[in-house]
Amino acid sequence: MSSGQLFPHKHILGLAQLAAPEIDFILQTAESFKEISQRSIKKVPTLRGKTVINLFFEPSTRTRLSFEIAAKRMSADTFNISSAGSSAVKGETMVDTARNLAAMNPDCIIIRHSRSGSPGLLARHIGASVINAGDGAHEHPSQALLDLMTVREHKGEIAGLKVAIIGDITHSRVAHSNIIGFSKMGAQVRVAGPATLIPPGIAAMGAMVCPSVREAVRDADVVMTLRIQQERQLDPLLPSLREYAIFYGITPEIIELASPDAIIMHPGPINRGVELDPGLADGPRSVILDQVTNGVAVRMALLYLIMGGE
Ligand code: CP
């Protein structure tokens, strides 16, 4: 049976479009693919002959490289293009750039863009599959999927867990995808951060807004801390990063309030000493590098499921 018969989606634009059983199916597929990356020869022929283009209009270390590694481990041909090295610098629009790439007949375009909705716009204009690798402050679906996979690996079940997401909720596409994903999978999601960085409609997405970091972290099974997205703030929404660290940073004292076996997560890049104490980032509760490892498996699963691998 081909993956196309098992998974009905051509594009991955956000977790809002995926039902809980579909999220579960992606995680199961990723869990089965993880073993490939532990072999001495880390390659399977599943996507041989398929072409994948990474089109990144914003910087990335983890997402771009792990999509490329995932595609290569499944034998797809991969190509990378960034805004700095493309004709976007000469004024070409994103859709024109994508249409020209589509004219070369790729099977999948993975796009990161500062504008929310760019992957959806692209999906309407080209025949290839589109994966959202992060669009503005909207969604980052593959990050939330790798976070769900990491939590499932450490906790067994997601349903019933208390997940605290701390920081810049307004500008964080990671927070938005995780609130949707963890809520759909039956976890209780709590958010906390400066009032200027908590959007008014967040409760409608399924999150409980806590008045303080302490209340959000108390008895939590998962503590996810986020970077302040200064690049998305037109006017500074914080007095200073130093004050943010004092009032909203996750410290050894704060983490003592969480469940004794709570895990600490961060999507990266980390601003050490601002949102997260460096000792905690590298300590025994941290699963931050497990998140990165699982990113490859999740992206292998997504490429396989939407490109119809056998
Ligand atoms: N988590 C994440 O999206 O990291 P990059 O910006 O390095 O891709």
Side-chain angles (χ1 to χ4, degrees):
M1 192 181 281
S2 82
S3 61
Q5 292 164 282
L6 299 169
F7 190 72
H9 296 274
K10 178 174 178 182
H11 310 292
I12 302 290
L13 302 178
L15 290 202
Q17 287 85 34
L18 298 177
E22 292 170 338
I23 293 173
D24 182 59
F25 184 54
I26 295 169
L27 299 183
Q28 281 182 43
T29 308
E31 283 153 10
S32 73
F33 281 151
K34 186 167 176 175
E35 168 271 329
I36 295 167
S37 295
Q38 286 151 4
R39 296 181 191 172
S40 58
I41 297 177
K42 303 170 184 61
K43 211 169 182 80
V44 291
T46 314
L47 295 179
R48 193 162 49 198
K50 303 284 185 188
T51 303
V52 176
I53 296 179
N54 270 321
L55 175 59
F56 275 57
F57 290 93
E58 274 192 342
S60 169
T61 298
R62 284 148 285 266
T63 311
R64 195 197 61 73
L65 189 61
S66 63
F67 266 117
E68 187 175 358
I69 289 174
K72 286 199 155 98
R73 289 198 176 152
M74 305 198 84
S75 302
D77 297 312
T78 63
F79 302 89
N80 295 308
I81 180 161
S82 64
S83 52
S86 78
S87 289
V89 293
K90 300 178 206 160
E92 188 169 61
T93 67
M94 187 268 294
V95 170
D96 275 340
T97 299
R99 276 187 166 146
N100 279 272
L101 298 179
M104 299 177 218
N105 214 16
D107 298 283
C108 180
I109 295 185
I110 298 158
I111 178 170
R112 170 170 286 191
H113 203 286
S114 60
R115 299 290 174 120
S116 299
S118 302
L121 181 66
L122 200 63
R124 290 197 291 278
H125 283 87
I126 64 168
S129 288
V130 173
I131 299 181
N132 178 5
D135 62 329
H138 175 225
E139 278 225 40
H140 192 348
S142 61
Q143 177 69 44
L145 289 164
L146 71 88
D147 292 339
L148 287 163
M149 179 176 173
T150 305
V151 169
R152 197 146 98 165
E153 219 169 57
H154 284 271
K155 298 288 176 189
E157 274 276 334
I158 292 169
L161 293 178
K162 299 182 192 82
V163 179
I165 305 180
I166 311 297
D168 179 357
I169 309 297
T170 298
H171 301 96
S172 172
R173 53 200 179 202
V174 174
H176 299 158
S177 288
N178 269 315
I179 291 168
I180 296 168
F182 277 99
S183 301
K184 283 188 176 179
M185 299 305 281
Q188 181 203 76
V189 183
R190 308 154 168 190
V191 297
T196 47
L197 296 175
I198 305 283
I202 205 71
M205 288 176 82
M208 188 171 94
V209 180
C210 293
S212 69
V213 172
R214 286 174 179 273
E215 284 197 39
V217 168
R218 201 177 306 281
D219 301 324
D221 303 291
V222 176
V223 178
M224 183 183 296
T225 176
L226 303 169
R227 183 175 67 86
I228 298 293
Q229 312 263 308
Q230 282 176 307
E231 71 276 21
R232 297 195 208 292
Q233 298 181 16
L234 297 178
D235 296 316
L237 292 167
L238 288 172
S240 73
L241 287 183
R242 202 162 145 256
E243 271 155 325
Y244 179 86
I246 293 168
F247 293 109
Y248 301 100
I250 300 299
T251 60
E253 186 218 336
I254 292 284
I255 210 71
E256 280 304 308
L257 300 169
S259 163
D261 58 355
I263 54 173
I264 297 172
M265 306 182 78
H266 194 301
I270 305 172
N271 287 314
R272 286 171 179 264
V274 179
E275 67 267 18
L276 183 58
D277 174 87
L280 292 179
D282 301 326
R285 289 173 185 266
S286 170
V287 298
I288 294 169
L289 293 179
D290 295 353
Q291 292 173 261
V292 179
T293 300
N294 288 336
V296 174
V298 156
R299 286 156 182 145
M300 287 170 85
L302 291 178
L303 293 170
Y304 166 73
L305 291 171
I306 64 166
M307 282 198 286
E310 296 295 326

